Amino acid sequence: MKAQRVDMFVSPMATPADTSGLQKLADSGKIRPDTLVALVGKTEGTGQHDDWGRVWADVALREWTAKFLDIPVADVAQRVIFVLSGGCPGVITPHIAAVTREMVDVTDSGDAKRLVVGRAGSEPMAPEEVGRMGQIQKVAEATHRAMADAGLTDPGDVHLAMVKVPGLTVASIRDAESRGETVVSHDLTFGPEGAGSYANDAAALGVALALGEVQRSSLSDQVVRRNWDLYSEVAMTSSGGEKRHGEVVVFGNGAGAQSELQIGHAVTKDFIDAEGVRSALRSAGVKFNGGLPDAEDLAKRLVHVFAKSVIPGSDQVRGNRITLLDDVDAYQIGKALGGMLIASVTGRTTNYVSGGERNSHQGPPGGNIVAAVVRSETS
Amino acid sequence: MKAQRVDMFVSPMATPADTSGLQKLADSGKIRPDTLVALVGKTEGTGQHDDWGRVWADVALREWTAKFLDIPVADVAQRVIFVLSGGCPGVITPHIAAVTREMVDVTDSGDAKRLVVGRAGSEPMAPEEVGRMGQIQKVAEATHRAMADAGLTDPGDVHLAMVKVPGLTVASIRDAESRGETVVSHDLTFGPEGAGSYANDAAALGVALALGEVQRSSLSDQVVRRNWDLYSEVAMTSSGGEKRHGEVVVFGNGAGAQSELQIGHAVTKDFIDAEGVRSALRSAGVKFNGGLPDAEDLAKRLVHVFAKSVIPGSDQVRGNRITLLDDVDAYQIGKALGGMLIASVTGRTTNYVSGGERNSHQGPPGGNIVAAVVRSETS
Amino acid sequence: MKAQRVDMFVSPMATPADTSGLQKLADSGKIRPDTLVALVGKTEGTGQHDDWGRVWADVALREWTAKFLDIPVADVAQRVIFVLSGGCPGVITPHIAAVTREMVDVTDSGDAKRLVVGRAGSEPMAPEEVGRMGQIQKVAEATHRAMADAGLTDPGDVHLAMVKVPGLTVASIRDAESRGETVVSHDLTFGPEGAGSYANDAAALGVALALGEVQRSSLSDQVVRRNWDLYSEVAMTSSGGEKRHGEVVVFGNGAGAQSELQIGHAVTKDFIDAEGVRSALRSAGVKFNGGLPDAEDLAKRLVHVFAKSVIPGSDQVRGNRITLLDDVDAYQIGKALGGMLIASVTGRTTNYVSGGERNSHQGPPGGNIVAAVVRSETS
Amino acid sequence: MKAQRVDMFVSPMATPADTSGLQKLADSGKIRPDTLVALVGKTEGTGQHDDWGRVWADVALREWTAKFLDIPVADVAQRVIFVLSGGCPGVITPHIAAVTREMVDVTDSGDAKRLVVGRAGSEPMAPEEVGRMGQIQKVAEATHRAMADAGLTDPGDVHLAMVKVPGLTVASIRDAESRGETVVSHDLTFGPEGAGSYANDAAALGVALALGEVQRSSLSDQVVRRNWDLYSEVAMTSSGGEKRHGEVVVFGNGAGAQSELQIGHAVTKDFIDAEGVRSALRSAGVKFNGGLPDAEDLAKRLVHVFAKSVIPGSDQVRGNRITLLDDVDAYQIGKALGGMLIASVTGRTTNYVSGGERNSHQGPPGGNIVAAVVRSETS
């Protein structure tokens, strides 16, 4: 019998094009051309839709991977999924997490569910599909294939679905409109009516559809960024103007998997809810002393945390007004605040935190998704 | 025998000129013209040196106070100290804390030290003194008088010294230079070489000098924002271009005081140190369950938290690089991050958090000051 | 026979609350309680929807006007129209232009058309009407009344219609939605899908409708910020969250008017078209030497220039790509660029320039409206 | 007899890494490996010290050039000088200007002076030299060698000296301080006390020293960004944290040169002085009709314009206050305004405009340098 063995290695990056951490992992044999399945990271730069830091990192990481796999750059996307989220404001260390997977023989797989990963690329998405049903359905379809690739059938075993989809650009809007099509927004930002937000949210609804968190009958172009009762509890999505396809990476715990790692997740109840972050650590298996995570577990067993930091749609947090919705730089500040919330609990800054949108179908209204990967105590 | 009875009332503000919370306190008799000694708050707006939100709040609050005290606006500063810190990025609710003090007769004062407050205005500070020894010495002198006004003689009983001093403006620089004087900086921001940062830091060194935290012999114009070994653990300072005098409010615990409140403080060890925030709550008397503050204590006994959020001077936090020093909006983000750190521990957003400067003589390198005011259990 | 005599006086402001220039005009008798009809100005501050500089200026100017007219502040709006546009990035001097009007007896009015002014307040506008037909129609109706007030019947005599309308706020959106209504956008900015832009553009279409520049049959909620073939050549509009009514001021040249001033306007062909600015000066009567406006005329006869600086919706200017649409601070930069275009032609910085929106129904696609008020040569 | 023949080709760039325009020039034979001497351009991105758009462009252009010249990337700097200025806010089209030079035989060189170019790299500059005499002297020395390379001996024939020098970074500051050295500023921005501004200004004084515009005896660390009477009228400088050497390109008109191009320059008198821009065009040989440049000359003979847009150190322009010095985004706005001033005169957006610093030794106080390259009428 064959089973997945998945591992994850987190390397800080010193510049957007810094591949030295990956090279060290390659040199040590921790990642191999036949085991590398995904690169997931935070890149420094503006975090805006034309963030050249992120674009450059994407180019540099693909070139490195092409050399590592000894294949043309154009073929890299068939072999390794890239999810790069731009912008590290505040206390988010730019980093790349390499995910490896190999199939190993097992005789007795035991009871414990362990980390598995699956990935899939979507069909190409036209600019007129961004933020609309076309994007939702193509992400849902890719999510199904990613689950199958992970060997997961129960949506309850999925703890994290990372998705990167195309957004809009001045050029792609012009392209769509020259063909008589409309686009969801002329605002290229991640603001409340921005194309980036619509793209991220269509992707989240695509995951929710695939996992049965929302019903197809409740979906239409009109509900995107309007009906906040529709959401996924495990979708973390981002978007970039340069992309043409969506990419989905699903993480879950699978019976029989031979990984040393396991994953868990939770949802914060509001924007300042540190306890929600602690719940995610608990869910993933971190031990607690009193109300706080065990320091040694944080240092030795916690591998990585993935979190969203979506700004609440209301100007009220626990009954008091905040002015974040009015801030001209709310997108940056909102993302930074999530980074602080996570870092203040994990005691480290190498956390994957994306966000800054106002309201989202990623997580319930006001709350955010946090997932944690932990090394098993018995491993 | 006479002793102080000090109280503190925190009111959210709906706009920069919203005095309705104060009016309600006045109407209920909680603040009286003869008891109001200080107004300390966070105002919404840009938080920059020309933050019109803060300036407008200052004008509106002074006008309200003048009417409340039935005195001319120009005389308000003699009676009530104003410390308004501009900018509420992220999860900081705009609010005003009214501090009252009355002298009451006591026969047996008991052992417990309770909250006392003292305040003093400084001599006028010329633009050429901003960020230099002139400002340091005038703040030190005012701090001495504020301690005396609080009835405190042991610097160890001082847990918080809030200071607001003049910064520089285009006009005041021109004034100084037209008289043949130089100014400490032509940069009006709170950036690393900004006049706002120099003003804040001279004020902090003034407090440190007054409290014996640094020696006079170690001070000179040259050490300001250069020798970070010199600092105060209780000084929270801010500055504004429109001011001509410094204002100092000292909070401490005094033997014999009849207040229902007590104050404590601590210093965080680095920028993501939630435990440092919890230490301040512990120091002030909040009960803890396991490692976390008791929820009912937070809801009922915690009156207010005051904190600085100074950006570290290094790009390393616990061994990993952050890009905050490079961020063009680091000033806003740095302040916002402090707001999140505090709110994630206190569970509320009405905290006084100022900051955003890079490095400061307010607190040790990398660390920040947190003070908490708590209602006594026996009260 | 009675005829209008209109005058205009431009005073720089040193702070948002600086009314000293107005006071000087009052002291000199240039403006009188019975002649002051409008205050039109640029205020310093962020220029964002929660620009406290603008809000404070509005409060301070209304208070000053109430004292000047010896009426309650609440009645000021019935007597004097306020059009304050926030944000003076770059080379735009904060200033206020006072417009006076009196009715004088004439026997022989001559042939020359001279400056007339009319104003009207609109019906209150609910948040759900902002950026939609409700706002369009109420502005159109007020524009008709303002024309009548100006004594103008031919739309061709209208050279400038300044309109200030309500925008949206977090609170007004909540209000609308709590009543089961929708709002045009959840984005509070002046971005491409921002409520501020929708409000400004509905106001522009309202003027266009009133002046016959567009037909009622071509208007609907759907065309706002979608069909750019619909526009006004004389509407300059702005919006603010604090307003509940629209205010319209119409400037034109009226037969028989006894003013010393006259007005003209033109439209630039694209974003860098200095010749379009010169055309506006020519239209208003400034003499030219070669291709350039006469320096003495600029210094002595040019009273004021009003201009929009709407960012083009395309990323191409005369065939070359610009990145302005991608700029996170395009709103500020776009406004600043208009300020430079005007100042580089007029040789002064006290010009009224508002803008920063991307695309608008104020002026044709890519072009902007410029109006100039000039002292008659024979006056 | 040998003489220079210099040409210049301007190509818009569609992304930071777009080398297609250069490739087209190469394919057409307009630039050849043995003639390419400099690449001067504006790159899109933030324009800040960590502008990844600029860094990526630098990497991509060097890689392209290495392939074009068939040499290792590390050797490119010996053969081709790169001056890339980051940030295209507003109406500045990202572009690259390729400068070619070849030595041709001449028998009778005629009287006309025509375009010549010379370039030189400087000695490496340590972080502690940035913004100080070390940087000044190394730039001066390189400027001398660049003049010699251009065949120019009379400083009056130099119309433009473009310099790119190292700035500071968090890492280079740490390096310097770890060796016991100080640095000129801890502020990494181009603000008034920012390291970027000091670097740019030391470079400008280096050019001024080399050209005799200032005397060595008047120079010291203390005068940099303090004594504005010291300046160059032809130095355009920029800086980047990633550089270790300075690079100087000198453009002038040389007797006997066989180029079809000629260069001229002028200095604006203040920030809104369009006439100063026109003077530069006149100086370079553009014909004028009345006061305006001939449209056909602009379209056909004007090859390129290089301009600085330094923000004035005063808040007064022609006697009226502007708030630019207070603007938090003055750096971007200031650069954008220069782009508009030039574009509104040249009628095109592909102009090289760098700037945003407040005050500079590049040009006299308040004024800015503009240089223009024009095709000779007889060519």
Side-chain angles (χ1 to χ4, degrees):
Chain A
M1 199 174 91
K2 289 280 188 183
Q4 286 197 18
R5 183 196 300 271
V6 174
D7 218 334
M8 187 180 289
F9 304 95
V10 179
S11 295
M13 294 176 77
T15 69
D18 176 18
T19 55
S20 64
L22 288 180
Q23 190 58 50
K24 205 173 294 179
L25 290 171
D27 293 344
S28 72
K30 285 183 175 167
I31 62 175
R32 299 197 313 264
D34 61 325
T35 62
L36 183 65
V37 293
L39 291 173
V40 179
K42 290 294 305 177
T43 59
E44 64 195 296
T46 64
Q48 305 294 339
H49 70 102
D50 63 342
D51 176 352
W52 299 116
R54 184 177 58 74
V55 177
W56 189 25
D58 191 88
V59 167
L61 289 169
R62 284 182 198 276
E63 284 179 358
W64 181 89
T65 305
K67 279 188 195 156
F68 182 52
L69 270 60
D70 196 21
I71 58 175
V73 167
D75 296 351
V76 166
Q78 313 300 322
R79 295 271 301 274
V80 179
I81 294 281
F82 283 68
V83 180
L84 301 180
S85 164
C88 293
V91 290
I92 303 171
T93 295
H95 69 271
I96 190 79
V99 182
T100 61
R101 179 175 73 171
E102 56 187 320
M103 301 308 288
V104 295
D105 289 307
V106 288
T107 47
D108 173 21
S109 62
D111 290 340
K113 289 183 176 178
R114 293 293 175 78
L115 185 65
V116 292
V117 65
R119 72 265 159 79
S122 82
E123 294 295 301
M125 294 166 179
E128 57 269 31
E129 292 182 310
V130 169
R132 293 171 171 168
M133 282 304 295
Q135 199 164 42
I136 292 174
Q137 286 170 324
K138 287 176 178 174
V139 168
E141 191 274 337
T143 304
H144 277 131
R145 285 190 286 113
M147 278 183 69
D149 186 49
L152 293 172
T153 51
D154 180 354
D157 286 330
V158 175
H159 290 272
L160 176 60
M162 306 195 79
V163 187
K164 185 107 197 182
V165 289
L168 291 176
T169 63
V170 171
S172 69
I173 292 176
R174 195 164 45 210
D175 162 53
E177 297 187 339
S178 73
R179 291 181 284 102
E181 303 289 344
T182 66
V183 293
V184 70
S185 175
H186 282 197
D187 178 348
L188 296 179
T189 72
F190 291 91
E193 300 289 350
S197 301
Y198 277 94
N200 289 1
D201 273 332
L205 289 175
V207 172
L209 175 59
L211 298 185
E213 296 173 287
V214 305
Q215 300 305 310
R216 180 176 296 256
S217 58
S218 62
L219 290 173
S220 69
D221 285 0
Q222 279 67 47
V223 303
V224 185
R225 295 193 60 72
R226 285 296 175 269
N227 182 350
W228 300 113
D229 294 335
L230 307 173
Y231 58 86
S232 170
E233 287 207 354
V234 296
M236 291 187 193
T237 64
S238 53
S239 55
E242 80 291 355
K243 300 192 76 67
R244 291 294 162 260
H245 298 72
E247 297 180 300
V248 179
V249 191
V250 162
F251 294 92
N253 292 323
Q258 297 299 299
S259 312
E260 295 185 356
L261 309 181
Q262 60 205 35
I263 188 168
H265 83 279
V267 169
T268 60
K269 70 176 182 185
D270 61 28
F271 206 49
I272 63 173
D273 180 23
E275 186 59 25
V277 181
R278 291 190 285 262
S279 295
L281 298 185
R282 258 192 215 97
S283 156
V286 171
K287 286 196 302 288
F288 273 64
N289 301 322
L292 293 171
D294 177 75
E296 196 173 326
D297 258 24
L298 289 183
K300 298 196 178 158
R301 291 182 55 228
L302 180 62
V303 175
H304 208 30
V305 170
F306 301 85
K308 282 298 299 190
S309 186
V310 172
I311 300 174
S314 156
D315 66 344
Q316 302 280 322
V317 173
R318 301 190 190 179
N320 278 304
R321 183 177 72 108
I322 59 170
T323 60
L324 185 55
L325 298 191
D326 288 327
D327 279 344
V328 67
D329 42 6
Y331 174 67
Q332 298 286 8
I333 290 176
K335 193 185 294 184
L337 290 178
M340 177 57 96
L341 189 67
I342 304 298
S344 72
V345 172
T346 65
R348 66 173 71 161
T349 56
T350 47
N351 308 296
Y352 177 99
V353 181
S354 77
E357 314 93 316
R358 190 196 304 181
N359 255 348
S360 175
H361 301 293
Q362 304 167 66
N368 275 299
I369 307 167
V370 185
V373 174
V374 173
R375 195 159 300 276
S376 307
E377 286 197 272
T378 58
S379 68
Chain B
M1 199 174 91
K2 288 281 189 185
Q4 287 196 17
R5 182 196 301 270
V6 174
D7 218 334
M8 185 179 292
F9 304 95
V10 179
S11 295
M13 296 176 76
T15 69
D18 176 18
T19 55
S20 64
L22 288 179
Q23 190 57 50
K24 204 173 297 181
L25 290 171
D27 293 343
S28 71
K30 286 183 175 166
I31 62 176
R32 299 197 313 264
D34 61 324
T35 63
L36 183 64
V37 293
L39 290 173
V40 178
K42 290 293 305 176
T43 58
E44 65 195 295
T46 65
Q48 305 294 339
H49 70 102
D50 62 343
D51 177 351
W52 299 116
R54 184 177 59 73
V55 177
W56 188 27
D58 191 88
V59 167
L61 288 170
R62 283 181 199 278
E63 284 179 0
W64 181 88
T65 305
K67 280 188 197 158
F68 182 51
L69 271 59
D70 196 21
I71 59 176
V73 168
D75 295 351
V76 166
Q78 314 299 323
R79 295 272 301 276
V80 179
I81 295 280
F82 283 68
V83 180
L84 300 180
S85 164
C88 293
V91 289
I92 303 170
T93 295
H95 68 272
I96 189 78
V99 182
T100 60
R101 180 175 72 171
E102 55 188 319
M103 300 308 289
V104 294
D105 289 305
V106 288
T107 48
D108 174 19
S109 63
D111 289 340
K113 290 183 175 176
R114 293 291 176 81
L115 185 64
V116 292
V117 64
R119 72 265 158 80
S122 83
E123 294 294 302
M125 295 166 178
E128 57 268 31
E129 292 182 310
V130 169
R132 291 171 172 167
M133 282 305 294
Q135 198 163 40
I136 292 173
Q137 286 169 325
K138 287 176 178 174
V139 168
E141 191 274 336
T143 304
H144 277 133
R145 284 190 287 114
M147 277 184 70
D149 185 49
L152 294 173
T153 52
D154 181 353
D157 285 330
V158 176
H159 290 272
L160 176 60
M162 305 195 81
V163 188
K164 185 105 197 183
V165 290
L168 291 175
T169 62
V170 171
S172 69
I173 291 176
R174 196 164 45 209
D175 163 53
E177 296 186 341
S178 73
R179 291 181 284 102
E181 303 290 343
T182 65
V183 293
V184 70
S185 174
H186 282 196
D187 178 349
L188 295 180
T189 71
F190 291 91
E193 302 288 348
S197 300
Y198 275 95
N200 288 1
D201 273 332
L205 290 174
V207 172
L209 175 59
L211 298 186
E213 297 173 286
V214 307
Q215 300 305 311
R216 180 176 296 257
S217 58
S218 61
L219 289 173
S220 69
D221 286 359
Q222 280 67 47
V223 305
V224 184
R225 295 193 60 74
R226 286 295 176 269
N227 182 351
W228 301 112
D229 294 335
L230 308 173
Y231 59 86
S232 170
E233 288 207 354
V234 297
M236 292 187 194
T237 64
S238 54
S239 54
E242 80 290 355
K243 299 192 76 69
R244 291 294 162 261
H245 298 74
E247 295 180 300
V248 178
V249 190
V250 161
F251 295 92
N253 292 324
Q258 297 299 297
S259 312
E260 295 185 355
L261 309 181
Q262 59 205 36
I263 187 169
H265 84 278
V267 170
T268 59
K269 70 176 184 185
D270 61 30
F271 205 49
I272 63 173
D273 181 24
E275 185 59 27
V277 180
R278 291 189 285 261
S279 294
L281 298 185
R282 258 191 217 97
S283 157
V286 171
K287 287 196 302 290
F288 273 64
N289 301 323
L292 292 171
D294 178 75
E296 197 174 325
D297 259 24
L298 289 183
K300 298 195 178 159
R301 293 183 53 230
L302 180 63
V303 175
H304 209 29
V305 170
F306 301 86
K308 282 298 298 191
S309 186
V310 172
I311 299 174
S314 157
D315 66 345
Q316 303 280 321
V317 172
R318 302 192 190 177
N320 278 305
R321 181 176 74 106
I322 59 171
T323 61
L324 185 55
L325 299 191
D326 288 327
D327 279 344
V328 66
D329 42 6
Y331 174 67
Q332 297 286 9
I333 290 175
K335 193 185 294 182
L337 290 178
M340 177 57 97
L341 189 67
I342 304 298
S344 72
V345 172
T346 65
R348 65 172 72 161
T349 56
T350 47
N351 308 295
Y352 177 99
V353 181
S354 76
E357 315 93 314
R358 191 195 304 183
N359 255 347
S360 175
H361 301 294
Q362 302 167 68
N368 275 299
I369 307 167
V370 185
V373 174
V374 173
R375 194 160 301 277
S376 307
E377 286 196 90
T378 57
S379 69
Chain C
M1 201 175 88
K2 287 281 188 184
Q4 286 197 17
R5 182 196 300 271
V6 174
D7 217 334
M8 186 180 291
F9 305 95
V10 180
S11 295
M13 295 176 76
T15 68
D18 176 19
T19 54
S20 64
L22 289 180
Q23 190 57 50
K24 203 173 297 180
L25 289 171
D27 293 344
S28 71
K30 287 184 175 165
I31 62 177
R32 299 197 313 264
D34 61 325
T35 62
L36 183 65
V37 292
L39 290 173
V40 178
K42 290 293 306 177
T43 59
E44 64 195 297
T46 64
Q48 305 293 338
H49 69 102
D50 63 343
D51 177 352
W52 299 117
R54 183 176 58 74
V55 178
W56 188 25
D58 190 88
V59 168
L61 289 169
R62 283 181 199 277
E63 284 179 359
W64 181 88
T65 305
K67 279 188 198 155
F68 182 51
L69 271 59
D70 196 22
I71 60 175
V73 168
D75 296 350
V76 166
Q78 313 300 324
R79 295 271 301 275
V80 180
I81 294 280
F82 283 68
V83 181
L84 301 180
S85 163
C88 293
V91 289
I92 303 170
T93 295
H95 68 271
I96 189 78
V99 182
T100 60
R101 180 175 72 171
E102 56 188 319
M103 300 309 288
V104 294
D105 288 306
V106 286
T107 47
D108 173 22
S109 62
D111 290 340
K113 290 183 176 179
R114 293 291 176 81
L115 185 65
V116 292
V117 65
R119 72 266 159 80
S122 82
E123 294 294 302
M125 294 166 180
E128 58 268 30
E129 292 181 310
V130 168
R132 293 172 171 166
M133 282 304 295
Q135 199 163 42
I136 292 173
Q137 286 169 324
K138 288 177 179 174
V139 169
E141 191 274 337
T143 303
H144 278 131
R145 283 190 287 113
M147 277 184 69
D149 186 50
L152 293 173
T153 51
D154 180 354
D157 285 330
V158 176
H159 290 272
L160 176 61
M162 306 195 80
V163 187
K164 185 107 197 182
V165 289
L168 291 176
T169 63
V170 171
S172 69
I173 291 176
R174 198 165 42 211
D175 163 52
E177 298 188 340
S178 73
R179 292 182 283 101
E181 303 289 344
T182 65
V183 293
V184 70
S185 174
H186 282 197
D187 178 350
L188 296 178
T189 71
F190 291 92
E193 300 289 349
S197 301
Y198 277 94
N200 289 1
D201 272 332
L205 290 175
V207 172
L209 175 60
L211 299 186
E213 296 174 286
V214 305
Q215 300 306 310
R216 180 177 294 256
S217 59
S218 61
L219 289 173
S220 69
D221 285 359
Q222 279 67 48
V223 303
V224 183
R225 294 195 60 73
R226 286 295 175 270
N227 182 350
W228 302 113
D229 293 335
L230 307 173
Y231 58 85
S232 170
E233 287 207 354
V234 297
M236 292 187 193
T237 64
S238 54
S239 54
E242 81 290 355
K243 299 192 76 70
R244 292 293 162 261
H245 299 73
E247 297 180 300
V248 178
V249 190
V250 162
F251 294 93
N253 292 323
Q258 297 300 300
S259 312
E260 295 185 356
L261 310 181
Q262 59 205 38
I263 188 169
H265 84 278
V267 170
T268 59
K269 70 176 182 185
D270 60 30
F271 205 48
I272 63 173
D273 180 24
E275 185 60 24
V277 181
R278 290 189 286 262
S279 294
L281 299 185
R282 256 191 217 98
S283 155
V286 171
K287 285 196 303 288
F288 273 63
N289 302 321
L292 293 171
D294 178 75
E296 196 173 327
D297 258 23
L298 290 182
K300 298 196 179 158
R301 293 182 54 229
L302 179 64
V303 175
H304 208 30
V305 169
F306 301 85
K308 282 298 298 190
S309 185
V310 172
I311 300 174
S314 155
D315 66 344
Q316 303 279 323
V317 173
R318 300 192 190 179
N320 279 305
R321 183 177 71 108
I322 60 171
T323 61
L324 184 56
L325 298 192
D326 289 327
D327 279 344
V328 67
D329 42 6
Y331 174 66
Q332 298 286 8
I333 290 176
K335 194 185 294 183
L337 291 178
M340 177 57 97
L341 189 67
I342 304 298
S344 72
V345 172
T346 64
R348 66 172 73 159
T349 57
T350 47
N351 308 296
Y352 177 99
V353 182
S354 77
E357 314 94 316
R358 191 196 305 181
N359 255 347
S360 175
H361 300 294
Q362 303 167 66
N368 275 299
I369 307 167
V370 185
V373 174
V374 173
R375 194 161 300 278
S376 306
E377 285 196 273
T378 57
S379 70
Chain D
M1 199 173 90
K2 289 282 189 182
Q4 287 196 16
R5 182 196 300 270
V6 173
D7 217 334
M8 184 179 292
F9 305 95
V10 179
S11 296
M13 295 176 76
T15 70
D18 176 18
T19 54
S20 64
L22 289 179
Q23 189 58 49
K24 204 173 295 180
L25 290 171
D27 293 344
S28 71
K30 287 184 174 166
I31 62 175
R32 299 195 315 263
D34 61 324
T35 62
L36 183 64
V37 293
L39 290 173
V40 179
K42 290 294 304 177
T43 58
E44 64 195 295
T46 65
Q48 305 293 339
H49 70 102
D50 62 343
D51 177 351
W52 299 117
R54 184 176 58 73
V55 177
W56 188 25
D58 191 89
V59 168
L61 288 169
R62 283 182 199 277
E63 284 178 0
W64 182 88
T65 305
K67 279 187 196 157
F68 181 52
L69 272 60
D70 196 21
I71 59 175
V73 168
D75 296 351
V76 167
Q78 312 300 323
R79 295 273 299 275
V80 179
I81 294 280
F82 283 68
V83 181
L84 300 181
S85 164
C88 293
V91 289
I92 304 170
T93 295
H95 68 272
I96 189 78
V99 182
T100 60
R101 180 175 73 172
E102 56 188 318
M103 301 307 290
V104 295
D105 289 306
V106 287
T107 46
D108 175 19
S109 62
D111 289 340
K113 289 184 176 179
R114 295 290 177 81
L115 185 65
V116 292
V117 64
R119 72 264 158 83
S122 83
E123 294 294 302
M125 295 165 178
E128 58 268 30
E129 292 181 311
V130 169
R132 292 171 171 167
M133 282 304 295
Q135 198 163 42
I136 292 173
Q137 286 169 323
K138 287 176 178 174
V139 168
E141 192 274 336
T143 303
H144 277 132
R145 284 190 287 112
M147 278 184 69
D149 186 50
L152 294 173
T153 50
D154 181 354
D157 286 330
V158 175
H159 290 272
L160 176 60
M162 306 194 80
V163 187
K164 185 105 197 185
V165 290
L168 290 176
T169 63
V170 171
S172 69
I173 291 175
R174 196 163 47 210
D175 163 52
E177 296 187 340
S178 72
R179 291 181 284 102
E181 303 289 345
T182 65
V183 292
V184 71
S185 174
H186 282 197
D187 178 348
L188 296 179
T189 71
F190 291 91
E193 300 290 349
S197 300
Y198 277 94
N200 288 2
D201 273 331
L205 291 175
V207 171
L209 175 59
L211 298 187
E213 295 172 287
V214 306
Q215 299 306 310
R216 180 176 297 256
S217 58
S218 62
L219 290 173
S220 69
D221 285 359
Q222 279 68 46
V223 303
V224 184
R225 295 194 59 72
R226 285 296 176 268
N227 182 350
W228 302 113
D229 293 335
L230 307 173
Y231 59 85
S232 170
E233 287 206 355
V234 296
M236 292 187 194
T237 65
S238 54
S239 54
E242 81 291 354
K243 300 193 73 72
R244 291 296 162 260
H245 299 73
E247 296 181 299
V248 179
V249 191
V250 161
F251 293 92
N253 291 324
Q258 296 300 298
S259 312
E260 294 185 355
L261 309 181
Q262 59 205 37
I263 188 169
H265 84 277
V267 170
T268 59
K269 71 177 182 183
D270 60 30
F271 205 49
I272 62 172
D273 180 24
E275 185 59 26
V277 180
R278 290 190 285 261
S279 294
L281 298 185
R282 257 192 217 97
S283 156
V286 171
K287 287 195 302 288
F288 273 63
N289 301 323
L292 292 171
D294 178 76
E296 194 173 329
D297 258 23
L298 290 182
K300 298 196 179 158
R301 291 183 54 229
L302 179 63
V303 174
H304 208 29
V305 169
F306 302 85
K308 283 299 298 191
S309 185
V310 171
I311 300 173
S314 156
D315 66 344
Q316 303 280 323
V317 172
R318 302 192 190 178
N320 278 305
R321 183 176 72 108
I322 59 171
T323 61
L324 185 56
L325 299 191
D326 289 327
D327 278 344
V328 67
D329 43 5
Y331 173 67
Q332 298 286 8
I333 291 176
K335 193 185 294 182
L337 290 178
M340 177 57 97
L341 189 67
I342 303 299
S344 72
V345 172
T346 64
R348 65 171 74 162
T349 57
T350 47
N351 308 295
Y352 177 100
V353 181
S354 77
E357 314 94 315
R358 191 194 306 180
N359 255 347
S360 175
H361 301 293
Q362 304 166 65
N368 275 298
I369 308 166
V370 185
V373 174
V374 172
R375 195 160 300 277
S376 306
E377 287 198 270
T378 57
S379 69

